[in-house]
């Protein structure tokens, strides 16, 4: 029925994996039967390409459709490669328009055009509508198959209308209410409809709608849907005409992807866009290498800074001992600030008008942290290496933490201002910048205190 | 109606903020009226404590309730402090049982007991039921107000039953089906009910249910709910008896919190648990200082390692120039691997049984990356500082990247094995470990190549 605990459910999955590896089709068909669609997807995400195709082919037709819809688009594309042409066309026509668009983005243009041409008219129309919105917008992810109602209709008439669309609408629980020009005037929920008397009109029970613009960024719109806690939120164009609906499970999927991307980029890697175990090693390398190179090139700054102070370093080799410690602490402080501010931006807690407030807060936080760490370092380093070295380390920590927290806190806001993704822009660059600046502060303070 | 673009909606919000600051209650009441509940929450999250109380008090009673439910528990607690006792009791009784439990966890024990005592019997019972599950489990976050049905009931009888609970049930769109011992046998959706003929029995249309255990971790259960794409998932006890239901918007809220926590911990800070601008500076400092201290203490390892090699460093000062670059690249490589694997774990793409597969993959990825960076460094550093130094840097990069990716990839799995949170455990510790180990590798290679 469901996965409750790992030991319980791993067993049938292992049987399937073994049967796939042995190409033992009868055992495989039998072993797959009791698995839920989610479990089949879990197994598919762990198999290599050939084995994935083998497993997919033993699924009965109706289950195959459900499973296919739940797969990430990259794996969908892989599977299509292995199927016969008419199978592909049937599979493609069976998808919801929004899922179809996601898959189209993965396919080579020629294949995509061919598949679109094979669709029934109405399906092609629905798909083309979604394709008209920019990549990354919520228009690309919304559903266009929906039931609407009008202010003058009665509750009974609306319920009847809804009953006719039980099978094809994405949701029947939230009904957008539109006027005669398709302009959104509100929503009614199925719960409202059941609660009202059948002869009352929709105008009497309609509620004001929360809505999102079709051209809005998908992540922003999805977060808004999550925030308002509705099961579905209407999507409108610039004239507030209804063009689609975002259901909460579409929103969940968008947020899941966005969070995966953010986390990847905070640590300087490109998101993989497909399950880890099925991603070829060379693609993992590719997702990381550019960032590593850029960061390493940035880090050559530290080599140059150290070179400038090489004579200082040659004179007091003890100073070299603390370089990784100081540079590391600065990087940590900056990353902490950047992550907090990036998250607050994503959740809409702050906006670009808060630049000064954020800067002052992070300046104070950084000074507090620096004073604390500096005091401890002064005592510890002072006792072991002498109090002049202790003073240099302590003062440097104060300066570096203040600078790092302020810069770290500002960076996501700067990124937002130049319309870059705060998560991409911030953490990796902060480390590089703070490393180099921190070293300069270190040697300037050392020169002043030690009189070099 | 909704926020569409920042310039549009910022205006009324700014009017409210100005009226609050001036304690101009008539203007404030007027300015708040057109705002949606979500917008009011946005404003409240940006105000300080006193102003927050002022704004909250001008809200009409029914809106105040909706707004209160949407606030994070820490802000709810703050608001309660400023209200009269009977207001508090009324507000508390009006909350859903699951929201009530979240708030109770924030309040001092004495206040919590007092508030619980004041509840009507049935409400207290529902709340106590939820309180019985461990903190962090989905049992704490589920709804206990639900409509169920039985296999022998007819569709018509079920619809009638549902109609009686339109106002108090958390959801009427997914109905768990239980037998006479409250054991879950399946679910029917309202859509199924509307589609079926009124005289057919539930047994004829029931579908197998996906369910979660009440004692399961909230994040894991929420991710499962998101994955199965149902609007609500029944929650059962160890005997598969129905105890509650998780709706998709509960799941969204849990996931949002979990992702905020993960991102905070990846950069070594504690999550704030309340909006950034309303968090006092001293609390932000507290959320970061422990991690900074732990990491800085860890970094003293690097001081000790460098001390061991001080004579080597004294002989060839050029070696000191590359310390931050090498240490930084190692840390970056390790963090990339850890983040990818942590995310794959969270999404259920890999489990503890995949240790060897993950290790071999990361070993290969690390070697690739190291070979590439090492080759570039050999040429660049070789040209400038001589080819023996270039060889040392190149070989060190190869060794450090291989080690860092492998260790970084293993760490989240180790964390999972010792039942620690992979996000807490991994990235900050990797940096410390990789820094120290990287330096040792560096000087050993330098000694071997340069014959020191």
């Amino acid at each position: 029925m469901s996965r409750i605990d790992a030991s319980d459910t791993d067993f049938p999955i292992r049987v399937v994996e073994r049967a796939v590896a042995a190409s033992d089709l009868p055992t495989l068909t039998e072993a797959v039967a009791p698995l839920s669609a989610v479990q089949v997807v879990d197994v598919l995400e762990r198999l290599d390409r050939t084995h994935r195709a083998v497993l997919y082919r033993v699924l009965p037709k109706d289950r195959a459709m459900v499973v296919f819809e739940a797969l990430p688009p990259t794996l969908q594309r892989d599977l299509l490669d292995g199927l016969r042409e008419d199978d592909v066309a049937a599979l493609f026509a069976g998808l919801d328009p929004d899922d179809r668009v996601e898959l189209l983005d993965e396919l080579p243009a020629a294949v995509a055009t061919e598949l679109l041409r094979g669709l029934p008219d109405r399906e092609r129309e629905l798909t083309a509508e979604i394709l008209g919105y920019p990549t990354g917008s919520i228009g690309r992810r919304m559903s266009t198959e929906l039931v609407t109602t009008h202010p003058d209709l009665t509750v009974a008439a609306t319920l009847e209308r809804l009953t006719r669309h039980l099978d094809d609408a994405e949701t029947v629980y939230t009904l957008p209410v539109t006027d005669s020009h398709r302009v959104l005037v509100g929503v009614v929920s199925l719960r409202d409809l059941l609660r009202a008397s059948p002869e009352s009109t929709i105008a009497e029970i309609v509620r004001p709608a929360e809505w999102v613009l079709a051209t809005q960024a998908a992540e922003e719109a999805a977060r808004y849907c999550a925030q308002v806690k509705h099961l579905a939120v209407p999507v409108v164009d610039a004239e507030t005409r209804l063009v689609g609906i975002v259901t909460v499970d579409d929103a969940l999927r968008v947020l899941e992807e966005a969070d995966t991307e953010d986390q990847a980029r905070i640590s300087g890697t490109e998101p993989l866009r497909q399950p880890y175990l099925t991603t070829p090693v060379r693609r993992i390398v590719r997702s990381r290498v550019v960032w590593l190179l850029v960061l390493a090139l940035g880090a050559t700054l530290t080599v140059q800074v150290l070179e400038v102070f090489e004579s200082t370093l040659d004179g007091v080799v003890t100073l070299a001992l603390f370089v990784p410690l100081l540079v590391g602490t600065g990087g940590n402080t900056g990353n902490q600030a950047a992550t907090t501010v990036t998250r607050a931006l994503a959740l809409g807690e702050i906006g670009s008008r808060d630049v000064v407030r954020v800067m002052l807060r992070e300046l104070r936080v950084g000074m507090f942290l620096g004073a604390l760490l500096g005091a401890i370092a002064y005592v510890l380093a002072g006792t072991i290496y002498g109090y002049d070295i202790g003073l240099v380390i302590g003062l440097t920590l104060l300066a570096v933490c203040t600078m790092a927290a302020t810069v770290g806190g500002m960076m996501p806001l700067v990124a937002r201002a130049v319309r870059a993704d705060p998560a991409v822009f911030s953490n990796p660059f902060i480390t590089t910048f703070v490393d180099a600046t921190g070293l300069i502060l270190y040697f300037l303070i050392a020169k002043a205190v030690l009189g070099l």
Side-chain angles (χ1 to χ4, degrees), chain A:
Chain A
M1 262 190 179
S2 154
R3 50 169 193 203
I4 281 282
D5 92 49
S7 59
D8 235 343
T9 49
D10 269 17
F11 177 67
I13 291 181
R14 272 203 308 276
V15 174
V16 170
E17 288 183 342
R18 234 173 292 136
V20 172
S23 296
D24 176 357
L25 294 190
T27 311
L28 182 58
T29 313
E30 201 181 311
V32 165
L35 295 187
S36 73
V38 173
Q39 287 177 316
V40 175
V41 170
D42 277 353
V43 178
L44 283 172
E45 288 187 341
R46 298 169 46 84
L47 294 175
D48 64 32
R49 221 173 150 141
T50 325
H51 288 146
R52 209 183 299 137
V54 170
L55 172 53
Y56 188 74
R57 264 175 235 202
V58 306
L59 293 174
K61 213 169 188 125
D62 52 333
R63 296 195 71 197
M65 193 68 224
V66 177
V67 165
F68 190 80
E69 282 202 317
L71 285 172
T74 43
L75 291 195
Q76 290 180 341
R77 183 199 54 200
D78 265 20
L79 269 179
L80 287 187
D81 283 353
L83 295 177
R84 277 179 312 122
E85 236 173 77
D86 44 345
D87 285 345
V88 170
L91 203 54
F92 190 70
L95 288 174
D96 284 337
D98 50 337
D99 293 331
R100 209 181 280 145
V101 166
E102 251 195 293
L103 175 55
L104 280 178
D105 283 340
E106 285 295 326
L107 295 171
V111 180
T113 318
E114 190 57 44
L115 281 174
L116 268 177
R117 199 173 305 151
L119 282 182
D121 282 356
R122 181 174 148 68
E123 291 293 326
R124 189 169 60 233
E125 210 174 282
L126 289 172
T127 308
E129 220 168 273
I130 296 181
L131 275 173
Y133 293 103
T135 316
S137 70
I138 194 67
R140 278 291 183 109
R141 309 297 294 268
M142 68 189 182
S143 301
T144 46
E145 294 173 301
L146 40 78
V147 194
T148 63
T149 180
H150 303 289
D152 309 332
L153 280 182
T154 62
V155 166
T158 304
L159 279 172
E160 199 196 315
R161 189 173 197 164
L162 180 152
T163 316
R164 281 202 309 276
H165 289 285
L166 282 175
D167 292 311
D168 56 0
E170 173 93 5
T171 177
V172 294
Y173 301 137
T174 306
L175 273 59
V177 182
T178 57
D179 68 12
S180 52
H181 301 94
R182 267 193 92 74
V183 170
L184 182 72
V185 294
V187 289
V188 289
S189 70
L190 180 48
R191 207 196 273 229
D192 296 333
L193 291 173
L194 293 176
R195 201 186 276 136
S197 80
E199 60 276 7
S200 51
T201 64
I202 294 301
E204 295 169 45
I205 60 166
V206 64
R207 300 163 182 257
E210 313 272 353
W211 34 265
V212 292
L213 263 184
T215 49
Q216 237 175 325
E219 180 181 352
E220 193 192 336
R223 237 178 255 290
Y224 183 68
C225 297
Q227 206 183 355
V228 298
K229 291 185 111 194
H230 294 324
L231 291 180
V233 172
V235 183
V236 299
D237 65 12
E239 280 81 41
T240 65
R241 277 187 308 244
L242 183 73
V243 294
I245 200 160
V246 191
T247 55
V248 71
D249 52 88
D250 291 335
L252 260 169
R253 203 155 157 174
V254 170
L255 287 181
E256 189 77 59
E257 285 167 20
D259 283 324
T260 302
E261 263 179 37
D262 281 359
Q263 288 195 11
R265 290 193 169 139
I266 281 178
S267 342
T269 140
E270 285 302 307
L272 294 177
R273 301 179 57 238
Q274 78 180 65
Y276 178 74
L277 287 181
T278 60
T279 313
V281 165
R282 66 171 187 288
R283 201 182 295 171
I284 300 183
V285 170
R286 223 187 303 141
S287 75
R288 298 184 191 171
V289 72
V290 177
W291 280 102
L292 265 193
L293 275 175
V294 171
L295 295 175
L297 272 182
T300 56
L301 258 181
T302 60
V303 179
Q304 286 156 35
V305 170
L306 285 173
E307 224 170 4
V308 171
F309 295 102
E310 199 169 1
S311 62
T312 318
L313 213 52
D314 215 356
V316 193
V317 172
T318 316
L319 287 178
L321 303 184
F322 296 95
V323 165
L325 173 85
L326 294 173
V327 153
T329 305
N332 290 335
T333 314
N335 280 338
Q336 287 180 333
T339 305
T340 315
V341 173
T342 301
R343 192 67 186 168
L345 266 176
L347 296 179
E349 292 170 5
I350 54 173
S352 31
R353 64 205 147 129
D354 297 310
V355 174
V356 179
R357 278 176 83 177
V358 172
M359 196 177 73
L360 291 177
R361 299 194 128 231
E362 289 302 332
L363 187 76
R364 282 159 65 201
V365 170
M367 275 175 52
F368 264 117
L369 291 171
L372 202 86
L373 290 182
I376 296 174
Y378 173 67
V379 176
L380 288 184
T383 325
I384 304 173
Y385 302 95
Y387 284 94
D388 47 350
I389 294 283
L391 188 61
V392 172
I393 307 298
L395 286 178
T396 304
L397 277 173
L398 174 60
V400 165
C401 285
T402 309
M403 181 270 295
T406 314
V407 172
M410 288 292 86
M411 211 68 111
L413 287 165
V414 171
R416 172 67 58 102
V418 302
R419 300 189 163 271
D421 182 342
V424 187
F425 196 73
S426 304
N427 296 48
F429 286 101
I430 285 164
T431 312
T432 308
F433 178 83
V434 165
D435 283 4
T437 326
L439 284 176
I440 296 177
L441 289 173
Y442 181 36
F443 284 105
L444 290 181
I445 291 173
K447 283 189 154 195
V449 173
L450 305 180
L452 297 170

